Every structure is written in C-alpha cells, then in structure tokens.
Amino acid sequence: MSAPIVVAVSRDAEHRFSKPNADEIELIAGLGVAGDAHAGVTVQHLSRVAADPTQPNLRQVHLIHAELHDEVREQGFEVAPGQLGENITTRGLDLLSLPRGTVLRIGPRAVVEVTGLRNPCAQIDGFEDGLLKQVVYRDDEGALIRRAGIMSIVLTGGPVRPGDTVSVELPAEPHLPLDRV
C-alpha cells in the first residue's frame, strides 16, 4: 500500500465557505496557514470569536480526506478539494479514525497535531442542498457522526504541496477519540 498523500492545498484570506486551491501553502508554527483567514494563536472562526475571542485556536489547519468527496459524489453531490473549506485534502489516510494528539508529518518539514473533528454547520447546505446530511448524521445507536474532516494545530512550519506524502505518529496510549473542536 502506498503512503498517504496530499492531493490539494487551499487557502483564503477572507472568511468564505470554500477556499481556492493553491500550488503551495506555507504552514506557520503556532498560527496555521499563511494568508488564510483562520490563521492565528486565538480562535479565528467567526462564530467562535463571537462567543469568546480569547479561546486558543485549535482549528489552525483543516484536513479532509478525498475519499469523502468520492463518497458524496456517489450520492449525486459534486464536491472538489477546497470547496468544504479545507486547507489540505489527503488521500489514503483515514483521518476520522485518528486519535486526538496524532502527529502528521506533511511534506519535507511541516508537522501538525490533530486536535479534533470539524463540526459541520448549515452553511454546507448553502453550498449544495442536502450535503449536510451526508457529512453529519446519527448512526443506528443515536451517536452523532461527523465526517467533514479534522482540525489541527501547526507544530513545525513548512511548505505543503500536492503530491507530498503524509506520515502518521500515534500518541501514547490510551488513545483519546476525536471530538468536535
């Protein structure tokens, strides 16, 4: 089996739902993606800023697995990398199964630590009606399932480009499951 890879990178200086693809993004330790509206030491997501602007930014870099795009495409939705607001789109890595604290080494130097799950909101239906039900729903036991990617903080900065490999370092046990951040 081949190593997980980056298939696309995206950033946007404005707070918009989708982010345009780029040839390269630069991760900055402790801040996030250079030139992205969500970069910062404290929370930058507008609804979270309104609630408490002093919260630490645990959502510096948003990652989504391209396999999610494939799955929703099979349900009739057209979603391309960056369109759900992610900074890094990967392939070959089950992001949602990673425990909190997992370290991802991306490309030649960048290192991020997984902080939790993205909590998808109704804006997703504004992008494509009905898509929200594909990325957040309740399973047969009533548990809430979030599939719209994971959030992370930047430990070591560096460039990230499509084609870069991703390696995974699991934290010490016991592994803590991801929850929304």
Side-chain angles (χ1 to χ4, degrees):
M1 183 169 168
S2 60
I5 62 163
V6 172
V7 296
V9 294
S10 310
R11 72 170 167 269
D12 194 344
E14 302 295 322
H15 284 278
R16 290 183 275 244
F17 183 73
S18 296
K19 296 181 187 285
N21 294 151
D23 294 331
E24 173 182 300
I25 58 173
E26 182 76 23
L27 301 190
I28 302 171
L31 293 176
V33 178
D36 191 80
H38 292 97
V41 173
T42 56
V43 69
Q44 300 297 307
H45 195 269
L46 295 177
S47 66
R48 307 224 173 178
V49 169
D52 178 4
T54 66
Q55 295 175 74
N57 189 1
L58 302 178
R59 302 165 54 96
Q60 294 174 358
V61 181
H62 177 198
L63 297 93
I64 283 185
H65 51 296
E67 291 84 355
L68 176 65
H69 298 155
D70 300 341
E71 291 172 26
V72 299
R73 192 172 299 113
E74 289 174 7
Q75 301 301 318
F77 299 93
E78 283 304 316
V79 180
Q83 289 186 321
L84 294 181
E86 74 272 20
N87 300 111
I88 300 174
T89 309
T90 64
R91 184 168 292 284
L93 177 58
D94 184 0
L95 296 171
L96 302 176
S97 72
L98 298 173
R100 192 169 2 143
T102 297
V103 169
L104 301 176
R105 295 185 179 279
I106 308 170
R109 293 192 310 273
V111 181
V112 301
E113 180 181 327
V114 176
T115 56
L117 295 169
R118 175 187 182 192
N119 189 35
C121 66
Q123 284 185 317
I124 290 177
D125 275 345
F127 172 74
E128 197 163 340
D129 191 43
L131 185 57
L132 182 61
K133 289 180 181 175
Q134 299 295 314
V135 297
V136 63
Y137 55 88
R138 294 209 178 267
D139 68 12
D140 293 338
E141 287 79 42
L144 193 60
I145 305 298
R146 294 178 178 91
R147 301 184 335 131
I150 63 171
M151 308 307 286
S152 64
I153 57 171
V154 182
L155 300 179
T156 304
V160 178
R161 300 173 190 92
D164 282 348
T165 59
V166 180
S167 65
V168 177
E169 296 174 12
L170 295 175
E173 293 193 12
H175 290 164
L176 301 173
L178 295 179
D179 198 2
R180 71 178 187 90
V181 293

